[in-house]
Amino acid sequence: MLNFSQFGRLVIALSLALYAMSAGATSFRVQCPMSTTLHPTPPLSAADNQNPIGGSIKCQQIGGGDGFATMADGNQIYLFAFGPLSGLGDMAAGQPGTEPAWVFDQVDPSSPQVGDPVDQSSTASPAPIKPGFFNGAVGLTQDPQVSTDPDCSASNPKPPSYCNPSSPYYGLDGFVDPRPIMDVGVMNGNEPAPTMAIDEDDEFFLTLTNVGMIMRPDLFEQHTVHFHGYPNASAFYDGVPDPSVAINIGGSMTYYYLAPDAGTYIWHCHITPPEHLQMGMVGQIYVRPRQDRVPAGGNLYTDTTVGVLAQQKDPRTACYPQGDTNHTDPDILCSAPLPAVVPASDIHANNLSGQPTHYTYNDGDGSTAYDVDYPIQMHGFDPNFHFVGMTFNPEPFTDMKDKYFLLNGRSYPDTVSPANYISGWTPYGPMTTQSTDGTQHDSQPLPSLINIPVGGKALLRISDLDVTEEDTLASLGIPMHVIGYNAKLLRDQAGNNMDYYTNSITLGGGESADIILDASDTTKYQVGQTFYIYSPNLDHLSNDAENFGGMMTEIHICNAVDPTTKACS
């Protein structure tokens, strides 16, 4: 016998299938081109993923619907939420779900399962898929009309990757099978929503598919994606439904963004924001700087591909250094002014993991370098609002009062719990919640445990998406080095650093901060030590009626930290 969730899923899937048969297409589509005007060379493997002109094509697919999450006191709470429909394995491992086009545009040879990563270490084209793991776009399949497509004629060919039957991308033009999308997407809401991460100069194609709310079939809720504070010039892709569009149940839309400015940003649904944000439709996106791509031993000031010279050619990011005879006054809109004193030596060395050092911004002096980074989303839930959201009795927005205070969708002690193991692939799996369909869903994929290699630095990309409260985080033992605020490097236009050290920060909803925890002094910070980051607001250190929980997590000093899993070794 079908339960309520399974019946609802079946009805929607059958409706989409009937539509597909009648219209010769599906209402769900995805879009991830292998090449564009800005990136004309299709990158077909990890070996040639970077185009010479910088950046790459990145893609992600997410579903808008509902789900459940488990709070630290054991209570299951209902969500309006986004869930992953691509990058499933990376998401299950606590990584961003954003994939390069050559990974995204793959057909799963079996049925996609949540928590199925592609073998990213391979340079084959396409990468081999680990048994039971998949990172491509869920539902992507060969267009049944490819063999008769007139655009594949000799006189008017489409790209060979689409028209060539021997190509691994043959017939892939965004056509999808709705069944696996519904199988994976229904009741699979995540808190926080899927994390996105791109690099400066990237073109980012983000597909939102609305799979409907199975627990609330009376609601015909639209959804959008709004990148809060992101420098996107197009109102059409802004996600505010008045100047742009909203996605109905059974439909998809692909948003297009350029990545001009490094920093930590926020994204959320912009349909009835107080309700949808409170219910869990919130996530984080961050942009990595060009400086990350300067080769080890190279110099930001002399590299012509991704360094300052490339930055100066781009009117979105040009910052004119002092002494430039053509532009003596830096642009007031400059997002990352160059340092007042140019360092005499190269700054791009290897970090403690032996990899090229990562930077938060194009700083030019190494002041924003780090070894490991952690996205930390502050949020709060009103359990009563979520309960009535699952029923048919709306609660006034003015009555909202958060009782759960969360870091990455978890309260202490779940913030430091390694939760489940994923087939031995990583020790830090997602927290799972059994939903009304009788299956476990990876409801809270991001742990908040902060591991720092001894002698190293950790970057905390902190964002606040709380609807009702301002939130404070305090650090005892390791000072907070605040280097960025609202995705802007803390530096004045003359190139003087305005960063500062503190033991606490306070953010309101819609704000973000980039903070470095510096454990490089090995006389103070040694392997085995534990420190805490927590809210000094006592009512934020509880899990509803249960004391000793809430907005708190731990910092561990480790011998080494795996750069992928962030696990101590």
Side-chain angles (χ1 to χ4, degrees):
M1 179 178 293
L2 294 176
N3 61 30
F4 177 74
S5 174
Q6 291 169 327
F7 178 76
R9 183 189 308 185
L10 177 63
V11 169
I12 295 179
L14 287 174
S15 300
L16 292 172
L18 289 173
Y19 174 84
M21 288 186 292
S22 63
T26 69
S27 57
F28 291 160
R29 304 284 287 189
V30 296
Q31 184 178 359
C32 184
M34 296 296 294
S35 61
T36 65
T37 302
L38 292 179
H39 297 94
T41 304
L44 301 180
S45 71
D48 59 357
N49 190 39
Q50 296 295 336
N51 279 289
I53 58 175
S56 186
I57 299 171
K58 303 284 176 58
C59 302
Q60 193 161 349
Q61 184 184 16
I62 57 174
D66 55 0
F68 287 89
T70 302
M71 298 293 98
D73 60 357
N75 182 43
Q76 288 192 4
I77 195 165
Y78 177 61
L79 305 172
F80 295 176
F82 295 105
L85 288 174
S86 67
L88 301 180
D90 284 347
M91 288 294 303
Q95 301 296 315
T98 313
E99 306 294 342
W102 66 276
V103 172
F104 185 91
D105 287 331
Q106 296 191 60
V107 176
D108 189 357
S110 58
S111 296
Q113 301 293 322
V114 174
D116 298 355
V118 163
D119 185 354
Q120 299 284 12
S121 64
S122 172
T123 59
S125 174
I129 298 171
K130 290 184 178 181
F133 291 85
F134 183 66
N135 250 353
V138 170
L140 185 65
T141 189
Q142 188 182 92
D143 191 328
Q145 300 181 359
V146 60
S147 61
T148 59
D149 191 336
D151 287 338
C152 284
S153 65
S155 60
N156 185 25
K158 277 188 175 180
S161 59
Y162 171 79
C163 294
N164 184 359
S166 63
S167 167
Y169 309 101
Y170 175 60
L172 300 184
D173 61 354
F175 184 89
V176 298
D177 176 1
R179 180 201 57 82
I181 288 179
M182 297 303 294
D183 284 347
V184 174
V186 166
M187 294 303 298
N188 194 39
N190 280 9
E191 176 57 31
T195 305
M196 304 170 189
I198 51 182
D199 300 285
E200 280 188 315
D201 302 313
D202 277 351
E203 294 179 272
F204 184 34
F205 293 83
L206 171 66
T207 298
L208 169 60
T209 296
N210 190 337
V211 299
M213 294 181 176
I214 301 302
M215 295 299 296
R216 289 298 306 270
D218 61 309
L219 293 180
F220 297 90
E221 293 288 280
Q222 298 175 316
H223 297 303
T224 69
V225 171
H226 171 66
F227 280 4
H228 186 95
Y230 189 84
N232 179 27
S234 173
F236 183 76
Y237 296 117
D238 190 57
V240 178
D242 304 308
S244 57
V245 295
I247 295 85
N248 291 314
I249 295 175
S252 300
M253 175 181 167
T254 298
Y255 293 81
Y256 172 78
Y257 306 94
L258 292 174
D261 290 318
T264 300
Y265 301 91
I266 296 163
W267 71 275
H268 60 82
C269 181
H270 217 293
I271 301 294
T272 323
E275 178 185 27
H276 284 207
L277 270 68
Q278 167 65 234
M279 293 297 290
M281 305 198 86
V282 290
Q284 189 180 97
I285 176 172
Y286 55 88
V287 181
R288 294 172 289 239
R290 292 184 176 104
Q291 189 168 329
D292 273 3
R293 305 202 302 273
V294 174
N299 190 296
L300 181 71
Y301 290 88
T302 59
D303 188 278
T304 59
T305 303
V306 296
V308 168
L309 297 179
Q311 176 178 300
Q312 299 301 79
K313 296 176 183 177
D314 189 336
R316 300 168 301 174
T317 56
C319 302
Y320 305 115
Q322 297 296 322
D324 187 329
T325 56
N326 296 320
H327 304 280
T328 55
D329 294 319
D331 190 335
I332 193 64
L333 298 178
C334 174
S335 60
L338 300 175
V341 179
V342 177
S345 61
D346 295 338
I347 60 169
H348 203 95
N350 287 341
N351 61 20
L352 294 180
S353 299
Q355 303 296 320
T357 300
H358 299 294
Y359 301 91
T360 318
Y361 293 93
N362 294 306
D363 55 56
D365 59 4
S367 59
T368 70
Y370 63 89
D371 294 287
V372 290
D373 65 328
Y374 297 90
I376 302 291
Q377 177 182 297
M378 298 191 290
H379 196 41
F381 279 162
D382 174 357
N384 186 59
F385 193 93
H386 285 250
F387 174 76
V388 298
M390 190 172 56
T391 65
F392 303 91
N393 303 298
E395 179 185 39
F397 294 162
T398 54
D399 290 345
M400 283 185 194
K401 183 171 177 58
D402 292 344
K403 298 292 184 65
Y404 293 107
F405 298 92
L406 313 171
L407 296 175
N408 287 344
R410 307 184 186 192
S411 299
Y412 191 82
D414 287 338
T415 51
V416 300
S417 171
N420 301 312
Y421 286 73
I422 309 175
S423 304
W425 190 70
T426 170
Y428 294 102
M431 285 183 62
T432 61
T433 302
Q434 183 172 347
S435 192
T436 55
D437 58 4
T439 60
Q440 295 286 341
H441 293 268
D442 297 336
S443 56
Q444 294 136 287
L446 293 181
S448 303
L449 177 62
I450 300 167
N451 293 323
I452 308 178
V454 62
K457 300 178 181 179
L459 167 65
L460 306 187
R461 299 182 180 275
I462 301 178
S463 59
D464 191 339
L465 285 154
D466 203 315
V467 178
T468 68
E469 305 261 357
E470 290 188 342
D471 296 297
T472 300
L473 279 181
S475 173
L476 293 182
I478 305 180
M480 294 176 162
H481 182 196
V482 184
I483 58 172
Y485 174 70
N486 285 345
K488 297 297 180 185
L489 176 65
L490 289 180
R491 182 178 287 168
D492 67 18
Q493 296 301 308
N496 301 303
N497 282 338
M498 306 296 288
D499 55 344
Y500 61 94
Y501 288 84
T502 182
N503 63 359
S504 69
I505 60 162
T506 298
L507 297 177
E511 294 183 307
S512 69
D514 298 298
I515 293 170
I516 289 179
L517 300 178
D518 187 349
S520 58
D521 187 345
T522 56
T523 63
K524 290 183 179 180
Y525 308 110
Q526 300 174 5
V527 174
Q529 289 181 319
T530 297
F531 301 89
Y532 289 87
I533 285 185
Y534 66 97
S535 172
N537 302 89
L538 295 182
D539 62 329
H540 290 193
L541 293 176
S542 62
N543 304 319
D544 196 3
E546 177 184 85
N547 290 327
F548 309 113
M551 192 173 285
M552 179 167 64
T553 190
E554 297 176 4
I555 305 167
H556 294 172
I557 306 298
C558 309
N559 182 57
V561 175
D562 186 290
T564 301
T565 65
K566 311 293 178 64
C568 280
S569 61

